[in-house]
Amino acid sequence: MKFSTIATLAIAAIPAVNAEVFLKEQFNDEAWKDRWTISSEWKSESELGEWTQTAGKYYADENDKGIQTSTDARFYGISAKLDKPFNSSEGKDIVIQYSVKHEQDIDCGGAYIKLLPGGDSFDAKKFGGDTPYGIMFGPDICGATKRTHVILHSERKNENLLINKDIPCEKDKFSHLYTLVVRPNNTFEVFVDNKSVRKGKLEDEFSFLEPKEIKDPAQSKPKDWVDEKKIPDPSDVKPEGYDDIPAEIPDPEAVKPDDWDDEDDGEWEPPMIDNPEYKGPWTPKMIDNPDYKGPWVHPMIPNPDYAHDEKMYAVCPNGCTHVGFELWQVKSGTIFDDIFVGDSLEEAQKFAEETFFKKKDGEKAMYDEQNKMDANEEDALPDDDDEIGDMDGFEDEF
């Protein structure tokens, strides 16, 4: 099995007793269109791209399909209702997992998934960028920016909080599995292809809490505080005649041209060159400041607004009922598949074993074989020189 040691230990530490699965989606049947709703009222029809069901250009099984963005420079919105709501107040993990394949050698576009509240009032046809969400997770690539988004909703702050330090994402043309776990002990972990790439405490990696200390507003740097490390040497005196030295002088090696006519050309003057004796504007030497006290450090005090939040993990305090993708892609071609939403990392890994890891190697093998065939076809094509030679021979017949 292709699981990392870290992931295996993480799975073993989490019992699957009473595990709940809120959604599994493989897009292998035509009924996926009944389970998922296009965001047809989010943007105008001309701005929205079409989702297509496909196994892609290279695959392990042509019947193992996903949904793919199909038109360049378009918005894409689609969502599905969970089999049952997830509520953070129940004190369970939330696990979101899905696969992403950028067949198009993506240059700019999102590929993230969102966990959404809303219940019966959720308007799937209008779902888009402004729709409230509990979690936004997954790869986002545009130019030099290539990261795996992890954005969690803070109920206390009523804000969506981006992880403080970027997590890299995969950039090749193959399927990759992205997994996020948020736990009720206020920790999280991100896996890519079942390898742990980031984990930690929510309070350390996100701005859920106000800082424990702040600068004392009653304190300020004393007016007589000396923070200049160097000062001009008072004993250093500018040499006499220093300012009389010109920056440029006539070139002593220049010679008046033989054909120069003072009457027609004017009085000849040699070209100017940099004066090697010129040292620039004079400045005194710098010496250590005997009164230097070092940089002033603002005294810190406990922050009266700081309060620990035991519910940082609660991204869905009133329940999340849907998942969806709302994306912009300059170059289309991304395939999404193997979506899992549940409260058990072990169940997510079992699902990955049944889906993602079954196709991973076969997909790569077909891609390599296609490239090999393409290379052989190119080698079989005649060279331009050969074609020109044939044309020359043809012309000789006339």
Side-chain angles (χ1 to χ4, degrees):
M1 196 57 238
K2 303 172 181 65
F3 294 155
S4 69
T5 303
I6 295 175
T8 304
L9 292 174
I11 296 168
I14 302 174
V17 179
N18 298 323
E20 287 191 282
V21 176
F22 306 113
L23 181 134
K24 284 183 179 179
E25 180 60 79
Q26 295 178 260
F27 299 106
N28 289 336
D29 58 358
E30 287 300 321
W32 75 270
K33 295 179 181 179
D34 299 324
R35 298 187 295 271
W36 291 78
T37 302
I38 304 293
S39 301
S40 57
E41 298 179 13
W42 172 35
K43 300 284 184 180
S44 67
E45 185 176 352
S46 62
E47 293 177 287
L48 292 172
E50 182 181 355
W51 294 93
T52 59
Q53 182 194 39
T54 178
K57 300 174 184 176
Y58 39 93
Y59 44 79
D61 180 354
E62 63 180 350
N63 295 314
D64 182 2
K65 300 179 180 180
I67 56 171
Q68 183 179 44
T69 58
S70 63
T71 309
D72 292 349
R74 293 292 188 273
F75 291 95
Y76 291 87
I78 194 168
S79 61
K81 189 174 183 179
L82 301 179
D83 295 336
K84 65 168 292 186
F86 166 75
N87 196 308
S88 298
S89 63
E90 297 174 1
K92 290 186 175 183
D93 295 358
I94 180 65
V95 183
I96 299 176
Q97 178 175 276
Y98 69 114
S99 68
V100 177
K101 179 167 68 164
H102 295 305
E103 285 194 340
Q104 74 277 43
D105 191 19
I106 189 168
D107 54 356
C108 188
Y112 38 80
I113 192 169
K114 289 184 173 181
L115 180 64
L116 307 157
D120 293 336
S121 63
F122 182 81
D123 193 340
K125 290 185 177 182
K126 292 184 178 179
F127 163 59
D130 295 330
T131 304
Y133 61 87
I135 292 176
M136 175 172 152
F137 169 63
D140 188 19
I141 294 174
C142 198
T145 302
K146 299 174 176 66
R147 62 185 173 185
T148 302
H149 274 306
V150 183
I151 304 178
L152 306 179
H153 181 72
S154 168
E155 184 71 9
R156 174 188 282 185
K157 289 189 170 184
N158 193 27
E159 293 179 17
N160 298 320
L161 306 177
L162 175 67
I163 194 167
N164 294 331
K165 183 180 178 182
D166 280 353
I167 302 173
C169 68
E170 297 296 328
K171 302 175 282 292
D172 58 38
K173 295 183 176 182
F174 303 109
S175 292
H176 292 284
L177 188 73
Y178 291 85
T179 310
L180 169 67
V181 188
V182 179
R183 302 186 176 99
N185 64 354
N186 286 319
T187 64
F188 78 101
E189 191 161 9
V190 175
F191 300 85
V192 177
D193 295 343
N194 209 44
K195 297 178 182 179
S196 180
V197 295
R198 181 71 59 81
K199 62 180 178 179
K201 297 180 179 179
L202 295 179
E203 64 183 287
D204 295 337
E205 301 282 347
F206 299 82
S207 300
F208 276 97
L209 306 177
E210 298 298 326
K212 291 183 178 181
E213 291 187 322
I214 59 171
K215 294 178 179 180
D216 186 350
Q219 298 288 332
S220 60
K221 184 169 73 172
K223 293 182 179 180
D224 61 351
W225 187 272
V226 179
D227 52 13
E228 295 177 338
K229 194 171 185 179
K230 298 280 187 177
I231 59 171
D233 183 354
S235 65
D236 192 18
V237 180
K238 185 187 337 184
E240 186 176 349
Y242 186 91
D243 292 338
D244 298 331
I245 302 173
E248 293 183 329
I249 59 173
D251 185 354
E253 297 182 1
V255 178
K256 180 179 178 180
D258 293 337
D259 59 352
W260 187 274
D261 188 319
D262 289 343
E263 185 174 334
D264 293 337
D265 301 327
E267 183 179 356
W268 180 81
E269 294 181 357
M272 304 297 285
I273 62 172
D274 292 338
N275 186 357
E277 300 297 324
Y278 180 69
K279 307 299 182 184
W282 183 84
T283 56
K285 294 186 297 184
M286 303 298 287
I287 61 171
D288 291 338
N289 187 351
D291 297 323
Y292 175 65
K293 295 182 179 181
W296 184 74
V297 179
H298 203 128
M300 305 294 287
I301 60 171
N303 185 357
D305 295 328
Y306 172 80
H308 188 72
D309 184 4
E310 294 293 341
K311 297 282 189 173
M312 287 179 282
Y313 72 92
V315 294
C316 298
N318 300 313
C320 284
T321 54
H322 292 72
V323 290
F325 300 95
E326 60 83 15
L327 314 167
W328 162 261
Q329 290 200 333
V330 174
K331 190 185 293 185
S332 63
T334 302
I335 298 177
F336 301 90
D337 200 5
D338 306 329
I339 303 172
F340 176 96
V341 182
D343 62 12
S344 167
L345 180 59
E346 182 177 2
E347 289 299 313
Q349 300 291 9
K350 287 180 180 178
F351 184 63
E353 184 178 347
E354 297 164 0
T355 56
F356 173 77
F357 285 106
K358 275 191 174 180
K359 65 186 175 187
K360 187 171 182 288
D361 293 340
E363 177 186 287
K364 177 69 162 57
M366 184 174 181
Y367 177 85
D368 291 341
E369 182 62 27
Q370 286 182 351
N371 280 354
K372 183 178 178 181
M373 292 174 62
D374 291 344
N376 290 338
E377 289 177 2
E378 288 183 8
D379 291 342
L381 293 174
D383 293 335
D384 291 343
D385 291 343
D386 293 340
E387 292 181 359
I388 293 173
D390 292 341
M391 290 177 63
D392 289 343
F394 179 76
E395 291 171 352
D396 290 342
E397 295 179 6
F398 290 90

